[in-house]
Amino acid sequence: MNNDRIARVLKKMEEKGITQLIVSDPLSIRFLTGIMVNPGERLYALILRTSGKHTMLLNYLYFVKDTGFEEVWFSDMEDQISIIAENIDPDQTLGIDKTWPARFLIPLQEKLPQLKTVWGSDCVDGVRAVKNEEEIAIMKKASEINDAVMERVADYIKEGMTEKQVADFIDSEYLKEGASGTSFDTIVCFGPNAADQHHEPSDTRTLKAGECVLIDMGCVWQGYCSDMTRTFYCKSADEEQTEIHDIVREAVLRAESVIKPGARFCDIDAQARDYIDEKGYSEYWKIRLGHFIGQEDHEYGDVSPINTNVAEPGMIFSIEPGIYIEGKYGVRIEDLVLVTEDGHELLNKVEKKWRIVG
């Protein structure tokens, strides 16, 4: 187990007035214990208590031993709701994390009508959001791989290729670099498809001269994710496309320039949003500026107009404004940014200026 991380979670629980917390997210449990289980539909949970007595609820199916916690084992044939009820204090508030299924929570509430349950996921997610030196080193390596593969794909792209061809090339290059896979399904968009922010690569749509090529990609290295986006142009780019690309790039630079400890996320977002609005394109960008990242590509926390929390050293998040014009094209540029003690560090080094490929 990781005593430091657990201690930080317990401190947040105390601040929130929670004496007991059910952690069911397998990645959060791995973060706190080093144990990884994929439970499927079965019950799997770590119960943390401010008293210091912690319990793991484990199905006999799981290959787990010597957890360092009190262990409660059960089979599929047992009444698992009763098992949960027996291992919590019904007279104390119970914190629930973001992934605990309703199939466990609602029957537990029915069984213990006096039990008060509250959202407690931020007690763990807030700790996960601030990376330590080991995590930062891993994520830097994941971004180095991303940079290298992005440069390769820029050289690889040719007129006449399909979106799926390009996406498959990216995925195969990750494996050559030793990554365990992708952190999300690789996004490759040509021309008008780039206006769809989560377009799935087509195996029939071929690249034509003069079209944009939007690539959003990330890999997993030692359990941590990378994520970046660049937008290229095949053979040539017209004045309108390059102007919009320059606007998006400037929005990225403005947002990144103010990132430091104590900066509010809403203020970081405003740097990009206000500039795009000033240039007359706000109707073509209606989502948040960025998301936190770590063991998952999208983790708790974001960079948005409604997030008044402040940046802390060790946080890593994306900066990814875009302009998406339906029926024509889209532009997105995305970097990952690490908050340092006195400012920030970009994890992506690939040039952001528009580039001709193919």
Side-chain angles (χ1 to χ4, degrees):
M1 74 178 74
N2 191 305
N3 291 321
D4 174 66
R5 292 174 179 174
I6 291 175
R8 289 161 62 197
V9 173
L10 296 178
K11 181 179 179 181
K12 288 184 176 291
M13 288 171 59
E14 290 173 352
E15 293 170 353
K16 202 176 179 74
I18 300 173
T19 60
Q20 51 187 351
L21 172 67
I22 288 184
V23 183
S24 64
D25 179 357
L27 291 177
S28 288
I29 295 176
R30 181 177 72 178
F31 176 75
L32 297 171
T33 69
I35 298 166
M36 185 63 197
V37 167
N38 293 307
E41 78 283 5
R42 293 178 169 85
L43 174 64
Y44 175 57
L46 169 64
I47 303 175
L48 296 177
R49 302 181 182 89
T50 53
S51 67
K53 179 188 176 185
H54 312 308
T55 304
M56 288 202 74
L57 304 182
L58 299 162
N59 192 296
Y60 289 121
L61 181 69
Y62 308 149
F63 191 72
V64 173
K65 59 182 179 180
D66 301 328
T67 64
F69 304 99
E70 175 189 39
E71 298 172 7
V72 175
W73 291 87
F74 53 87
S75 71
D76 289 345
M77 286 75 74
E78 295 179 64
D79 179 358
Q80 296 175 20
I81 304 304
S82 292
I83 291 171
I84 301 167
E86 291 165 1
N87 284 277
I88 61 173
D89 184 343
D91 297 320
Q92 295 288 322
T93 299
L94 176 66
I96 305 295
D97 85 352
K98 62 182 181 291
T99 68
W100 208 40
R103 64 177 176 270
F104 297 127
L105 174 58
I106 293 174
L108 178 65
Q109 292 171 325
E110 292 172 344
K111 187 178 185 67
L112 301 174
Q114 77 275 33
L115 177 67
K116 179 182 179 182
T117 55
V118 298
W119 173 260
S121 198
D122 50 347
C123 294
V124 181
D125 294 334
V127 174
R128 281 178 57 176
V130 178
K131 275 59 179 177
N132 63 21
E133 290 184 6
E134 179 185 7
E135 292 176 294
I136 290 170
I138 292 172
M139 293 190 68
K140 284 184 176 181
K141 176 62 178 179
S143 285
E144 287 174 10
I145 293 173
N146 229 17
D147 281 352
V149 174
M150 183 67 85
E151 293 289 4
R152 286 178 210 164
V153 72
D155 292 336
Y156 172 79
I157 295 168
K158 297 291 183 291
E159 183 181 2
M161 286 183 172
T162 67
E163 294 171 334
K164 187 70 164 54
Q165 272 181 280
V166 177
D168 287 347
F169 173 82
I170 292 168
D171 295 352
S172 65
E173 290 299 307
Y174 282 147
L175 298 179
K176 289 178 184 177
E177 289 294 327
S180 57
T182 59
S183 48
F184 54 92
D185 291 341
T186 301
I187 298 171
V188 176
C189 318
F190 298 160
N193 288 344
D196 178 356
Q197 295 167 54
H198 289 99
H199 172 72
E200 295 184 6
S202 165
D203 59 3
T204 58
R205 178 59 163 86
T206 57
L207 179 61
K208 301 176 181 63
E211 288 188 322
C212 68
V213 181
L214 189 155
I215 299 175
D216 190 346
M217 56 190 245
C219 67
V220 178
W221 173 262
Q222 294 184 11
Y224 284 79
C225 299
S226 61
D227 189 359
M228 73 180 301
T229 307
R230 292 293 186 267
T231 304
F232 306 117
Y233 299 90
C234 179
K235 301 290 189 180
S236 65
D238 62 35
E239 185 177 346
E240 183 182 38
Q241 289 190 91
T242 58
E243 178 186 1
I244 288 176
H245 194 286
D246 286 344
I247 291 170
V248 173
R249 178 166 58 92
E250 179 62 22
V252 172
L253 296 174
R254 291 188 178 209
E256 291 174 348
S257 71
V258 300
I259 296 173
K260 62 182 180 180
R264 297 194 307 171
F265 292 110
C266 57
D267 295 333
I268 298 170
D269 179 284
Q271 289 291 319
R273 198 167 304 277
D274 290 352
Y275 180 71
I276 288 177
D277 183 44
E278 174 190 323
K279 292 297 182 179
Y281 287 97
S282 59
E283 67 178 294
Y284 303 108
W285 180 44
K286 296 182 178 179
I287 62 171
R288 65 190 180 185
L289 178 62
H291 59 84
F292 278 54
I293 185 171
Q295 295 182 90
E296 297 171 282
D297 179 52
H298 284 216
E299 292 199 334
Y300 171 81
D302 67 12
V303 187
S304 71
I306 62 173
N307 187 355
T308 58
N309 292 334
V310 300
E312 300 175 39
M315 289 181 169
I316 298 176
F317 46 82
S318 70
I319 295 295
E320 49 178 308
I323 293 175
Y324 309 97
I325 302 177
E326 186 174 352
K328 297 183 74 174
Y329 41 71
V331 175
R332 179 163 67 252
I333 302 170
E334 175 185 15
D335 286 330
L336 293 186
V337 184
L338 164 68
V339 183
T340 62
E341 292 293 338
D342 57 359
H344 69 271
E345 178 182 348
L346 299 184
L347 300 194
N348 298 108
K349 314 301 182 187
V350 175
E351 172 61 53
K352 286 189 272 289
K353 189 176 182 347
W354 58 268
R355 189 190 314 187
I356 301 299
V357 298

